[in-house]
């Protein structure tokens, strides 16, 4: 099938111009002014912005965690992502301690294959680095196309690895052409503070926040950055939330070390005052927790300074009844919040429309950088001849309201209930197919493909 998008304003990470786009099959065939080609279908994009499909490199779909599963499957999660203009997601495979990476990958494949509506890839979370795991790193990079390895410096006793394992992993991943990513918070300190608050009978969601103060993130981020510098391993910090942690990254630039930074939409827009709402605060219980207003300003500035490279979501939804598992004890609230569908529209409305970031910066942090940093560029993350025709047609002026009553995520609340936004996703193409149009999803589960990724250099 061929498709012609006429009269749109095309925005990429570094350009902004009016042109038509001719798509033949899955990829962009021609871009030019007033194209006179015959296509099976034409879309008039007059007055609309046309940008690359969004890439959310941090989601947890159908993930076993804290005795339950996150409530979006690969089907419902990737479909909701498409409604919000995100065409590719990167999910996390979690190794079980004492088991192999291959076993974990087989488990995740069994849940994702044939179910995903949108395109997806995997990061491999290494929770047990040993001689066997070490041999599997090469297999993941060379054979499976999985080139990023996630580590946890927190969740002691479950997912956390120690610094000895971290250094060993970094050396091997560097050798194989991959990147180490990290949940950088000090697991021992947090473990101590959780126990202390529980012993004192301080059990409301507010104490989730108070058990993970800024210093726990700043300290771990600095340690991670130093270990990455020592080993020479390409490095990436997921869901960075605060000034102290960003300062560690800023300091590293003085020795010409580049550490990639991802923040998530909620850390730019929400703050810790939400935890004062008694149990309702559980809706925003996530790790790291929401921070202070001053941290939001630091993160917006970090985007414009090129220190924060990506805005993701850490989408990990739980139904309110799942959140209730922690009604009497904050440490039992499943961690996570839904945002996969809202990221692109929230970032546009709060970032571009309110004048905090430029349109090009918007595309860079939501679409292009995730593709570049994680080895999918230029197939994904841009609009160019030969690239996958993953395209969003966006009305920059339409106003609408976010609500659990109208969203497509499989979760019974919205973290942004009633928020009034300017700018709405109208039509979404995934590999040349119309995936979303007139608020309807036109492709089925199984359409989403696993995207094998290339080796990475740690530079963009
Ligand atoms: Zn996460």
């Amino acid at each position: 099938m061929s498709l012609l998008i006429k009269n749109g304003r095309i925005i990429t990470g570094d350009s902004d111009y009016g042109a038509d786009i001719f798509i033949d099959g899955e990829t962009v065939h021609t871009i030019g002014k007033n194209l006179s080609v015959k296509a099976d279908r034409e879309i008039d994009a007059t007055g609309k912005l046309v940008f690359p499909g969004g890439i959310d490199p941090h989601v947890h779909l159908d993930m076993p965690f804290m005795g339950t599963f996150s409530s979006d499957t690969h089907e419902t999660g990737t479909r909701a992502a498409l409604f919000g203009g995100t065409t590719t997601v990167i999910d996390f495979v979690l190794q079980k301690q004492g088991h192999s990476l291959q076993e974990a990958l087989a488990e995740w494949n069994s849940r994702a294959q044939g179910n995903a509506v949108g395109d997806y890839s995997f990061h491999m979370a290494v929770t047990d680095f040993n001689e066997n795991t070490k041999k599997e790193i090469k297999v993941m990079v060379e054979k499976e196309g999985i080139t990023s390895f996630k580590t946890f410096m927190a969740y002691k006793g479950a997912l956390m690895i120690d610094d000895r394992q971290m250094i060993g992993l970094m050396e091997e991943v560097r050798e194989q052409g991959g990147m180490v990513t990290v949940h950088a918070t000090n697991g021992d300190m947090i473990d101590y503070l959780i126990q202390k608050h529980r012993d004192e009978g301080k059990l409301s969601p507010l104490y989730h926040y108070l058990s993970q103060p800024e210093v726990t993130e700043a300290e771990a981020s600095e340690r991670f950055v130093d270990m990455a510098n020592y080993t020479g391993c390409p490095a990436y910090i997921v869901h960075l939330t605060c000034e102290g942690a960003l300062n560690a990254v800023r300091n590293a630039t003085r020795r010409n070390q580049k550490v990639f930074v991802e923040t998530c939409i909620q850390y730019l827009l929400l703050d810790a005052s939400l935890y004062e709402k008694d149990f309702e605060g559980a809706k925003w219980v996530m790790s790291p927790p929401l921070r202070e207003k001053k941290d939001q300003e630091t993160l917006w500035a970090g985007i414009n300074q090129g220190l924060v490279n990506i805005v993701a979501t850490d989408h990990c939804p739980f139904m309110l009844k799942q959140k209730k598992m922690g009604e009497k004890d904050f440490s039992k609230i499943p961690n996570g919040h839904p945002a996969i569908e809202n990221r692109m529209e929230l970032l546009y409305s709060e970032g571009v429309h309110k004048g905090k970031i430029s349109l090009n910066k918007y595309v860079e942090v939501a679409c292009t950088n995730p593709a570049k940093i994680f080895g999918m560029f230029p197939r994904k993350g841009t609009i160019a001849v030969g690239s996958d025709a993953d395209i969003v047609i966006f009305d920059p002026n339409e106003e609408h309201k976010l609500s659990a009553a109208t969203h497509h995520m499989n979760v019974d609340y919205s973290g942004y209930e009633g928020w009034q936004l300017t700018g709405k996703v109208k039509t979404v193409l995934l590999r040349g197919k119309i995936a979303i149009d007139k608020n309807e999803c036109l492709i089925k589960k199984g359409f989403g493909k696993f995207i094998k990724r290339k080796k990475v250099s740690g530079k963009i």
Side-chain angles (χ1 to χ4, degrees):
M1 197 183 107
S2 62
L3 226 154
L4 183 63
I5 303 172
K6 291 206 67 90
N7 308 317
R9 178 178 165 197
I10 301 171
I11 316 287
T12 67
D14 58 5
S15 59
D16 181 345
Y17 59 103
D20 303 340
I21 304 171
F22 178 61
I23 295 153
D24 191 18
E26 295 201 336
T27 55
V28 173
H29 183 281
T30 321
I31 302 173
K33 299 241 187 232
N34 307 315
L35 289 181
S36 58
V37 280
K38 257 207 160 9
D40 298 328
R41 172 138 185 213
E42 264 190 40
I43 299 175
D44 181 16
T46 303
K48 307 283 197 305
L49 303 178
V50 178
F51 46 73
I55 300 175
D56 187 343
H58 193 151
V59 306
H60 300 280
L61 303 173
D62 215 353
M63 182 182 76
F65 190 52
M66 297 176 80
T68 185
F69 280 80
S70 57
S71 60
D72 261 322
T73 61
H74 288 84
E75 181 186 353
T76 63
T78 56
R79 186 189 296 127
L82 285 167
F83 273 105
T86 291
T87 48
T88 302
V89 301
I90 314 183
D91 189 32
F92 291 82
V93 175
L94 297 185
Q95 177 194 20
K96 275 201 195 94
Q97 291 179 344
H99 295 262
S100 70
L101 302 182
Q102 286 287 1
E103 279 172 77
L105 179 58
E107 194 189 325
W108 256 259
N109 275 334
S110 75
R111 288 198 288 268
Q113 275 173 3
N115 275 320
V117 185
D119 284 356
Y120 66 101
S121 185
F122 288 136
H123 305 283
M124 177 58 70
V126 178
T127 63
D128 187 359
F129 185 70
N130 53 44
E131 281 307 308
N132 292 330
T133 318
K134 187 176 171 185
K135 293 189 194 107
E136 292 190 278
I137 300 294
K138 189 185 173 84
V139 180
M140 288 298 139
V141 173
E142 302 280 347
K143 180 165 163 270
E144 307 291 351
I146 295 175
T147 53
S148 46
F149 298 86
K150 163 88 176 285
T151 58
F152 293 88
M153 294 167 87
Y155 298 115
K156 195 171 162 65
L159 302 168
M160 180 170 150
I161 60 170
D162 61 24
D163 293 349
R164 187 180 196 279
Q165 293 183 70
M166 179 71 85
I167 291 282
L169 176 67
M170 282 176 164
E171 291 197 330
E172 186 58 23
V173 167
R174 180 201 62 214
E175 281 309 299
Q176 301 307 334
M179 179 159 63
V180 170
T181 76
V182 69
H183 174 129
T185 56
N186 184 313
D188 282 304
M189 283 176 82
I190 293 168
D191 200 47
Y192 168 79
L193 289 168
I194 290 173
Q195 192 58 49
K196 178 171 174 264
H197 288 133
R198 291 177 74 202
D199 290 347
E200 291 167 359
K202 295 170 174 167
L203 298 169
S204 72
L206 177 65
Y207 289 93
H208 169 78
Y209 168 60
L210 295 174
S211 297
Q212 302 197 35
E214 180 173 2
V215 62
T216 60
E217 189 177 332
E219 184 283 326
S221 299
E222 190 170 339
R223 187 157 34 103
F224 174 78
V225 167
D226 284 344
M227 289 189 283
N229 188 51
Y230 175 70
T231 57
C233 186
Y236 178 102
I237 300 177
V238 308
H239 56 39
L240 185 142
T241 70
C242 58
E243 189 181 6
L246 195 63
N247 284 343
V249 174
R250 192 190 318 273
N251 288 340
T253 63
R254 299 195 174 101
R255 61 189 177 204
N256 197 26
Q257 182 191 6
K258 176 66 189 168
V259 173
F260 295 118
V261 170
E262 163 200 294
T263 191
C264 297
I265 190 72
Q266 59 270 28
Y267 301 118
L268 291 165
L269 304 181
L270 306 175
D271 68 77
S273 61
L274 289 166
Y275 297 124
E276 284 157 20
K277 295 182 163 202
D278 293 325
F279 186 68
E280 211 201 327
K283 290 177 179 173
W284 299 279
V285 163
M286 61 186 81
S287 293
L290 300 173
R291 301 285 183 199
E292 306 291 325
K293 288 243 184 313
K294 60 107 183 158
D295 297 298
Q296 295 177 6
E297 294 312 314
T298 298
L299 294 173
W300 284 113
I303 290 176
N304 284 319
Q305 293 157 353
L307 286 172
V308 174
N309 309 101
I310 288 180
V311 178
T313 60
D314 197 7
H315 176 76
C316 191
F318 293 99
M319 297 284 189
L320 288 172
K321 71 169 187 291
Q322 293 174 291
K323 289 278 184 184
K324 281 221 155 136
M325 289 161 52
E327 198 169 14
K328 296 196 168 65
D329 179 351
F330 69 87
S331 71
K332 298 200 165 61
I333 300 170
N335 281 212
H337 132 292
I340 201 168
E341 183 172 354
N342 306 135
R343 177 185 71 126
M344 300 286 285
E345 289 175 344
L346 279 168
L347 187 63
Y348 182 86
S349 189
E350 295 291 317
V352 180
H353 179 67
K354 292 194 174 168
K356 287 196 164 75
I357 58 173
S358 72
L359 254 178
N360 294 117
K361 185 56 91 173
Y362 170 75
V363 171
E364 186 187 317
V365 298
C367 316
T368 312
N369 278 348
K372 284 184 175 172
I373 291 171
F374 289 111
M376 294 187 280
F377 188 85
R379 178 178 177 188
K380 304 284 192 193
T382 192
I383 297 177
V385 172
S387 294
D388 279 2
D390 300 349
I391 292 174
V392 176
I393 300 173
F394 191 85
D395 183 339
N397 300 312
E398 185 169 330
E399 295 190 358
H400 63 112
K401 214 181 247 188
L402 298 185
S403 172
T406 50
H407 73 203
H408 302 85
M409 298 177 283
N410 185 41
V411 60
D412 54 359
Y413 76 93
S414 170
Y416 307 88
E417 188 65 43
W419 280 46
Q420 187 77 35
L421 303 189
T422 301
K424 193 168 187 341
V425 171
K426 303 302 289 180
T427 304
V428 179
L429 309 188
L430 175 57
R431 284 181 277 109
K433 260 243 177 336
I434 299 177
I436 302 291
D437 195 40
K438 300 192 171 62
N439 215 22
E440 242 185 279
C441 183
L442 304 174
I443 55 174
K444 302 229 170 331
K445 74 173 186 175
F447 185 83
K449 261 193 196 163
F450 178 76
I451 305 298
K452 279 193 174 187
R453 294 185 285 115
K454 298 181 287 191
K455 290 186 181 185
V456 298
S457 67
K459 304 274 187 292
I460 50 171

